[in-house]
């Protein structure tokens, strides 16, 4: 922690910078009160378990004070990126302020992530997803992890990668690059919207399997419809047929508890800056111990060929900002302080409420499945005659509600812990207003 005097000096400098160059701070000026909230030593405490037991709605409303959102702004798009809570922002910023002084008793030490093991940060992340320390590399986002796997596996022309039609470009494109460069094949299973059973999904994959199928790539939660795929069953099926399994868990970590050993995949990738609310620029790449030696590095610098450091060789990518790791660890601590199960329940309850209400809207086509088996925190709903981009812009300009979609007509709505039922009602009323204005 910063000493109080140092903190006040830092705050003064940051405040001046905020006033002097508001335009450089991005679309919103960084007013001193925001800087003060982010850095002030007296952060609001987390609401208590007692409060949760007494009134869970009050608990969640109290918890919202942990976020930097301005009053009246609603955010429903964790599918792209989340907002870090104050303890995470503060841990990150304090680390930046401390480390920028570049003093260290050990004169070989610098605040660089990109050459070292950083076990103090890697270990809690590994524990959080049920991995061994040796099997986890901290990378900068899911895109990086997904590319490392596609680039790192030896495949021959004609070898096949089996995936779905709902993958994010960061999952699919690395394999398409490999297809163009090395002549492998990429096959996409068309996922039913919504799926009806796990067996139905397994049958779709089995129907496309050939003797050349080498890799299975599936999202844990897809980016387009938010469907939660039965990754344990799919990876089991892949293992049975000697196929590598790669799970793109960009959305899953933080949305619900993830255990890579239970899933029993070969590779698991995520972007904790989405649902775990870590600072932007945090990613993870899990590689099962047995397959680690079959994965080549994409980037080579010191120790790229040191097999003894296991997955850590994959996080050797040159100098970058280790304060992000401090923020990542703070995000895990925040999660544990509230309770992953409690968070999952809240995300699912809000999702169920929104799904129930929106299903009754005229013209709404639910692309998310009913119930919980195939859903988590992302709701996909299609309005065939809607111009999604116009609605998205209108919602922000008129109501300061931020959403996103995954086609010209489909909305993708995230229900994270900073929302409550009244917020969702406000969003629904605004949506209704817009839809009515279009039919009038
Ligand atoms: C399923 C999925 N995979 C990968 C990514 C890429 O994530 P990042 O941009 O954090 O690398 C996204 C981003 O939205 C995604 O939705």
């Amino acid at each position: 922690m910063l000493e109080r005097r140092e903190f006040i000096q830092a705050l003064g400098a940051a405040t001046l910078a905020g006033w002097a160059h508001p335009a450089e701070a991005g679309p919103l000026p960084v007013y001193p009160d925001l800087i003060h909230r982010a850095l002030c030593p007296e952060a609001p405490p987390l609401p208590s378990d007692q409060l949760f037991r007494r009134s869970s709605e009050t608990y969640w409303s109290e918890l919202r004070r942990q976020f930097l959102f301005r009053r009246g702004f609603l955010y429903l798009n964790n599918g792209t990126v989340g907002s870090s809570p104050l303890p995470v922002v503060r841990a990150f910023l304090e680390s930046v302020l401390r480390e920028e002084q570049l003093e260290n008793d050990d004169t070989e030490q610098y605040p660089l992530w990109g050459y070292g093991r950083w076990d103090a940060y890697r270990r809690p992340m590994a524990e959080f997803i049920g991995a061994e320390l040796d099997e986890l590399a901290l990378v900068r986002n899911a895109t990086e992890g997904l590319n490392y796997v596609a680039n790192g596996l030896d495949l021959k022309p004609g070898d096949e990668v089996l995936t779905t039609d709902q993958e994010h470009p960061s999952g699919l494109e690395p394999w398409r690059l490999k297809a163009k460069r090395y002549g492998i094949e990429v096959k996409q299973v068309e996922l039913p919207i919504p799926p009806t059973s796990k067996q139905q999904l397994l049958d779709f994959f089995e129907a496309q399997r050939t003797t050349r199928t080498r890799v299975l790539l599936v999202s844990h939660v897809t980016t387009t419809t938010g469907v939660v795929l039965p990754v344990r069953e799919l990876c089991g099926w892949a293992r049975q047929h000697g196929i590598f399994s790669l799970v793109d868990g960009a959305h899953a970590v933080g949305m619900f508890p993830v255990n890579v050993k239970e899933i029993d995949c070969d590779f698991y990738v995520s972007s904790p800056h989405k649902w775990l609310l870590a600072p932007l620029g945090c990613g993870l790449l899990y590689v099962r111990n047995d397959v680690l030696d079959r994965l080549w590095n994409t980037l080579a610098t010191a120790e790229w060929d040191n097999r003894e450091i296991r997955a850590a060789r994959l996080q050797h990518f040159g100098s970058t900002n280790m304060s992000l790791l401090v923020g990542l660890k703070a995000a895990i601590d925040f999660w544990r302080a509230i309770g992953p199960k409690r968070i999952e329940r809240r995300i699912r309850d809000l999702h169920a409420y929104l799904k129930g209400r929106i299903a009754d809207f005229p013209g709404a086509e639910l692309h998310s499945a009913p119930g919980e088996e195939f859903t988590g925190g992302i709701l996909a709903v299609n309005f065939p005659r809607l111009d999604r981009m116009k609605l998205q812009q209108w919602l922000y300009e008129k109501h300061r509600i931020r959403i996103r979609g995954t086609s010209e007509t489909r909305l993708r709505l995230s229900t994270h812990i900073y929302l409550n039922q009244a917020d969702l009602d406000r969003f629904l009323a605004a949506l209704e207003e817009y839809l009515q204005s279009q039919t009038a």
Side-chain angles (χ1 to χ4, degrees):
M1 292 285 277
L2 292 177
E3 294 299 323
R4 196 178 175 85
R5 189 170 49 81
E6 289 173 309
F7 164 77
I8 288 166
Q9 279 166 1
L11 179 61
T15 303
L16 277 177
W19 279 120
H21 305 290
E24 285 173 17
L28 280 183
V30 178
Y31 292 115
D33 71 310
L34 196 62
I35 295 170
H36 190 264
R37 278 180 65 206
L39 283 173
C40 106
E42 293 87 28
L46 286 184
S48 66
D49 285 347
Q50 220 178 5
L51 179 62
F52 183 77
R53 284 192 291 274
R54 216 171 45 239
S55 159
S56 63
E57 274 309 309
T58 317
Y59 173 93
W60 292 113
S61 301
E62 273 291 300
L63 193 82
R64 195 173 358 190
R65 294 174 61 217
Q66 300 289 325
F67 294 89
L68 288 167
F69 294 129
R70 295 196 302 169
R71 196 183 290 275
F73 173 65
L74 293 189
Y75 188 69
L76 286 90
N77 186 28
N78 281 81
T80 300
V81 67
S83 174
S84 296
L86 282 173
V88 175
V89 175
R90 291 154 57 87
F92 170 70
L93 291 179
E94 284 185 9
S95 171
V96 170
L97 295 174
R98 184 172 51 246
E99 300 300 349
E100 286 304 324
Q101 299 169 90
L102 288 177
E103 291 197 39
N104 201 307
D105 290 341
D106 177 350
T107 54
E108 272 299 301
Q109 275 302 322
Y110 288 86
L112 304 181
W113 164 30
Y115 291 101
R117 297 183 204 178
W118 291 111
D119 288 352
Y121 305 104
R122 210 155 55 105
R123 196 183 302 280
M125 189 72 249
E127 282 169 7
F128 197 73
I129 58 162
E132 299 292 325
L133 175 68
D134 273 351
E135 299 173 307
L136 186 75
L138 295 176
V139 292
R140 289 164 289 191
N141 49 42
T143 303
E144 197 167 69
L146 289 159
N147 274 274
Y148 283 2
V149 178
N151 288 325
L153 285 179
D154 283 329
L155 296 187
K156 291 192 284 305
D159 282 350
E160 293 172 4
V161 175
L162 189 52
T163 183
T164 79
D165 63 344
Q166 288 196 26
E167 299 310 313
H168 188 272
S170 297
L172 183 65
E173 295 303 325
W175 298 103
R176 293 183 69 194
L177 185 159
K178 202 168 174 114
K180 190 161 182 184
R181 192 168 176 195
Y182 298 113
I184 65 159
E185 301 280 333
V186 178
K187 289 167 70 176
Q188 287 173 276
V189 168
E190 197 180 321
L191 292 177
I193 296 180
T196 52
S197 73
K198 290 181 178 174
Q199 193 54 49
Q200 177 205 32
L201 290 169
L202 282 167
D203 291 346
F204 274 61
F205 284 88
E206 178 59 21
Q208 298 236 24
R209 182 176 65 83
T210 72
T211 53
R212 303 305 301 268
T213 309
R214 298 279 176 269
V215 179
L216 168 76
L217 157 68
V218 280
S219 288
H220 201 164
V221 181
T222 74
T223 194
T224 46
T225 68
V227 63
V228 179
L229 292 175
V231 287
R232 192 158 64 91
E233 288 77 1
L234 286 166
C235 293
W237 166 84
R239 174 74 46 85
Q240 194 188 332
H241 297 290
I243 299 169
F244 284 117
S245 53
L246 162 59
V247 180
D248 174 356
H251 300 285
V253 174
M255 186 187 280
F256 44 70
V258 168
N259 186 308
V260 290
K261 293 292 170 194
E262 279 170 19
I263 297 169
D264 203 16
C265 50
D266 292 315
F267 308 99
Y268 194 98
V269 167
S270 188
S271 278
H273 50 227
K274 291 183 188 290
W275 288 81
L276 191 63
L277 312 182
L280 249 177
C282 291
L284 63 92
L285 167 60
Y286 159 81
V287 185
R288 201 161 60 82
N289 215 343
D290 299 357
V291 295
L292 252 173
D293 288 336
R294 297 178 67 183
L295 190 72
W296 288 94
N297 283 62
T298 290
L299 299 179
T301 177
E303 295 198 286
W304 73 270
D305 205 16
N306 180 354
R307 301 284 149 152
E308 280 173 21
I309 63 172
R310 310 304 292 151
R313 75 181 152 88
L314 300 165
Q315 63 182 36
H316 283 215
F317 38 60
S319 311
T320 187
N321 190 347
M322 60 73 67
S323 295
L324 289 168
L325 299 181
V326 177
L328 175 65
K329 161 94 168 44
I332 295 168
D333 291 343
F334 182 79
W335 235 247
R336 292 212 189 280
I338 300 173
K341 286 259 173 236
R342 183 181 290 175
I343 292 175
E344 178 193 12
R345 192 64 263 151
R346 177 64 175 176
I347 289 172
R348 287 187 181 282
D349 285 349
L350 291 173
H351 173 92
Y353 178 73
L354 189 59
K355 186 156 61 181
R357 290 280 319 273
I358 221 165
D360 293 337
F361 274 52
E365 296 172 354
L366 273 190
H367 284 186
S368 294
E372 291 196 345
E373 188 176 18
F374 297 106
T375 57
I378 292 181
L379 180 71
V381 56
N382 194 48
F383 289 93
R385 289 205 293 281
L386 181 76
D387 182 334
R388 186 268 295 183
M389 282 302 292
K390 274 198 186 142
L391 165 71
Q392 186 174 305
Q393 201 57 30
W394 177 88
L395 275 174
Y396 182 66
E397 281 164 13
K398 179 134 196 242
H399 293 282
R400 293 178 55 226
I401 299 175
R402 195 148 187 212
I403 64 154
R404 212 174 172 201
T406 47
S407 81
E408 284 171 11
T409 55
R410 180 169 50 215
L411 313 184
R412 183 187 65 180
L413 308 164
S414 309
T415 50
H416 216 313
I417 52 171
Y418 24 66
L419 295 170
N420 60 33
Q421 198 169 307
D423 297 329
L424 297 181
D425 289 341
R426 206 182 115 204
F427 160 69
L428 288 162
L431 177 63
E432 197 170 13
E433 180 190 338
Y434 184 84
L435 293 173
Q436 275 172 4
S437 74
Q438 300 302 294
T439 50

